[in-house]
Amino acid sequence: MQLTFVDWLIMLLYFVFVLGIGFALKRYMKTSKDFFQAGRALPAWICGLAFISANLGAQEVIGMGASGAKYGLETAHFYGIGAIPAMIFVGIFMMPFYYGSKARSVPEFLRMRFDEKTRALNACSFAVMTVFSSGISMYAMARLIQALHVFDGLFRSLGWAPEGIFTFSIVMSAVIVLLYIFLGGLTSAIYNEVLQFFLIIAGFLPLVLLGLKNVGGWNGLRTAVSAVDPRMMHQWRGVMHSSTNNMGIEIIGLGMGLGFVLGSGYWCTDFLVIQTAMASKNMESARRVPLIAAVPKMVFPFLVILPGLLAISLPTPHATTIVRNENGVIYHETSNIPTREQAEGRGLIPAKINPVTGKAMLDASGKPLLDYDMATPNLLLHYFPTGILGLGLTALMASFMSGMAGNVTAFNTVFTYDLYQSYIHKGATDRHYLAVGRWATVGGILLSIGTAYAAINFNNIMDTLQLVFSFVNAPLFATFLLGMFWKRTTGHAAFTGLISGTLAAMLHHGLTLPIEAHPGIHGGWLTVVHHYPSDMAQNFWGAIFAFSTNFIVTVIVSLFTKPRPEAELVGLVHSLTPMPPRTHDRWWKSPEALAVAVLLGAVAVNIFFF
């Protein structure tokens, strides 16, 4: 597909606007608090949209579309039980501790509740996780640019190998994000995330409406997808046993692994999203931030999962059409011989080709892997005309930028406050830490470029991210749960539990393997004692093992070690901390009332997708 002048203009205006925000905010970045915490002066609605946009990276827009094409409407569990309840919990119960403690980061809160070694362990593991998450967004953006053949003409004219387009695209996206974070810090990231939120809505709502109209509405989609696999159009049916649903997970693994451990572990402990709420102007606003974000979160299954279902329901292309624009004349060249990726694909989902080597990727049985990550981009190309296509592609790139920026700002904060200031260079000036934060941004971007190549080995980036979360967020949630609600929990126990939980996740991964996967990055790198029906089932159960191990070890060690005096835990443990006073006159303005409304909405969404 050749992009026209209008498409290029829309994307160019977006990049100019994004960089302009960074340059405009540079003069306000005078202290480290301005750069890392946005001065703690932003209104709740801005932070609420940034809260959800920080999660609207490649894992949401591309990953959910890919999971929709691979697993069907079961993917909506990531919202109904994996997000909304946890967002309510963090807003009502956990945000008073985060905001009230004046901690600058999640690891710093762990230092205040436990000790330095627990903080250091979490800071290191979180830094690694943010680098991987940012790298996945880079990978997704590079795959999009490569699939569109945007730079093919440039590379041909320079005599460069086309395989280099993948690396070139990664570096280009990295430079853009680096510039506006380096200049404007967290404030720049938050305002850009709000812009990206509205761009994603503007780009994906027409796509879903056009796709549904084309297939005959909701009933037409249900008929078309059921012809591929009737299980894909139900969210809850078949979850009682792993063999009766595409995700290969039963109700216990789903409820405990996703609903309780991974969902709560992400939304309640991941500094990527917590940092946006902590930038609010007061406690009441900080509590409302996750609840405000939960409202649009409820409708996002319609915007990001349905494109995957639409892509898998359409006929597999048996012809290749190339559109060229020469001197204002548009030429359509159609070949009846499909590409290799199309011929071996399903619907609009092509076979997966290694973007570096150009070779087809096969599963353990020798069959071609399907590149589910291309479901949403290919649907854009299938439906959108000139101009609208530019808007859709800009929305995709905005989601990638949002994910990268959120992770990079979280990385530079944790590195500067929790590693550099605490262990490398104590007592330096505020200007020095501001400079370190900017250069930490450069380091985070460079490390993310390296991790982008690891994502090549997965055909669904959502599988990749849940694997990372099962190693980091799952055991961490057990530490937070015990630390905030059991005053007997000790620092030695928290540290030992975190290590044990992470080791349990690693051991589980090394001993298990999804069906049709090769031993290695998918698991089984020690030996294979159990096969899971899918990567996602392996991730959910890995999270359960990590959480349970941490929880048990932490309780046992706490009983044999000395707890801190209760006076030191006020503001850090629920039973010892008074709830924040109400600053509103009417009950319906309270965060609790908003939480009830959001919960009822989540129940309605689950019933709709049943």
Side-chain angles (χ1 to χ4, degrees), residues 272-508:
L272 166 67
V273 291
I274 296 298
Q275 67 175 342
T276 59
M278 292 170 70
S280 300
K281 59 184 178 182
N282 55 45
M283 171 75 78
E284 192 81 355
S285 295
R287 295 184 71 199
R288 283 197 182 102
V289 165
L291 304 175
I292 292 172
V295 176
K297 188 73 174 176
M298 285 187 291
V299 302
F300 262 86
F302 296 94
L303 294 179
V304 297
I305 296 176
L306 289 192
L309 289 167
L310 288 165
I312 205 73
S313 69
L314 293 172
T316 302
H318 293 290
T320 302
T321 300
I322 300 175
V323 181
R324 294 184 295 106
N325 188 326
E326 295 182 4
N327 299 322
V329 180
I330 298 178
Y331 296 91
H332 292 256
E333 297 179 357
T334 302
S335 171
N336 290 323
I337 303 175
T339 64
R340 175 180 50 174
E341 296 93 326
Q342 291 174 336
E344 296 177 345
R346 186 169 66 175
L348 297 184
I349 314 298
K352 187 171 180 66
I353 304 297
N354 188 304
V356 176
T357 64
K359 296 181 180 179
M361 300 180 68
L362 307 176
D363 60 21
S365 62
K367 298 178 182 178
L369 286 172
L370 293 180
D371 195 355
Y372 291 105
D373 291 334
M374 294 306 297
T376 300
N378 281 350
L379 195 71
L380 281 171
L381 295 175
H382 184 77
Y383 281 124
F384 276 6
T386 298
I388 301 296
L389 177 60
L391 178 62
L393 297 179
T394 302
L396 272 180
M397 287 188 284
S399 74
F400 304 151
M401 297 289 187
S402 175
M404 291 165 60
N407 281 288
V408 170
T409 54
F411 174 85
N412 64 29
T413 302
V414 168
F415 175 84
T416 304
Y417 284 151
D418 298 297
L419 295 175
Y420 184 84
Q421 185 181 34
S422 300
Y423 306 109
I424 299 175
H425 196 319
K426 298 180 179 180
T429 64
D430 187 77
R431 180 179 292 274
H432 176 77
Y433 292 127
L434 176 59
V436 170
R438 284 199 163 107
W439 288 109
T441 303
V442 177
I445 289 287
L446 291 176
L447 291 172
S448 299
I449 291 174
T451 60
Y453 289 90
I456 294 173
N457 296 286
F458 288 82
N459 68 343
N460 180 355
I461 59 176
M462 201 65 191
D463 292 336
T464 318
L465 281 162
Q466 296 307 314
L467 173 62
V468 175
F469 293 159
S470 69
F471 276 64
V472 180
N473 291 35
L476 180 62
F477 181 57
T479 301
F480 267 92
L481 203 62
L482 287 169
M484 285 187 172
F485 296 96
W486 188 37
K487 61 185 180 182
R488 186 72 178 74
T489 312
T490 67
H492 295 307
F495 180 78
T496 307
L498 274 176
I499 292 179
S500 301
T502 303
L503 290 176
M506 293 175 63
L507 183 63
H508 174 268

Side-chain angles (χ1 to χ4, degrees), residues 15-220:
F15 288 124
V16 169
F17 202 90
V18 163
L19 294 175
I21 291 176
F23 279 102
L25 292 173
K26 183 179 184 297
R27 60 194 178 101
Y28 298 106
M29 300 298 108
K30 297 178 180 179
T31 67
S32 62
K33 185 177 181 180
D34 296 330
F35 186 81
F36 294 117
Q37 298 176 278
R40 281 201 167 188
L42 299 179
W45 75 272
I46 289 284
C47 293
L49 294 181
F51 189 94
I52 188 174
S53 295
N55 179 247
L56 277 178
Q59 65 266 38
E60 182 89 359
V61 176
I62 297 297
M64 288 299 181
S67 293
K70 185 176 183 179
Y71 301 120
L73 279 181
E74 274 190 281
T75 308
H77 286 308
F78 282 96
Y79 296 84
I81 65 174
I84 305 300
M87 294 168 80
I88 294 173
F89 185 80
V90 71
I92 297 299
F93 296 104
M94 296 184 74
M95 197 51 66
F97 299 106
Y98 282 136
Y99 197 90
S101 67
K102 303 298 181 183
R104 297 171 296 183
S105 67
V106 167
E108 185 169 73
F109 178 85
L110 289 175
R111 178 193 63 77
M112 298 168 70
R113 173 60 181 89
F114 297 115
D115 51 28
E116 279 289 348
K117 62 180 180 293
T118 307
R119 171 204 207 171
L121 178 61
N122 177 244
C124 292
S125 62
F126 178 77
V128 172
M129 185 184 72
T130 55
V131 164
F132 269 96
S133 297
S134 179
I136 288 170
S137 290
M138 287 185 181
Y139 160 80
M141 186 165 181
R143 286 288 291 117
L144 173 67
I145 292 173
Q146 190 180 42
L148 294 175
H149 306 285
V150 173
F151 296 121
D152 284 18
L154 173 64
F155 271 62
R156 277 196 302 268
S157 64
L158 295 174
W160 295 349
E163 289 79 12
I165 294 175
F166 182 73
T167 299
F168 178 80
S169 303
I170 285 178
V171 173
M172 184 194 69
S173 62
V175 169
I176 294 172
V177 172
L178 172 62
L179 283 174
Y180 78 76
I181 297 299
F182 190 90
L183 295 169
L186 179 61
T187 307
S188 178
I190 286 178
Y191 278 110
N192 271 304
E193 283 164 356
V194 173
L195 166 67
Q196 289 151 354
F197 172 82
F198 289 109
L199 268 175
I200 291 167
I201 298 291
F204 281 83
L205 183 58
L207 177 67
V208 172
L209 295 178
L210 191 58
L212 285 175
K213 181 179 183 296
N214 184 264
V215 298
W218 182 257
N219 290 331

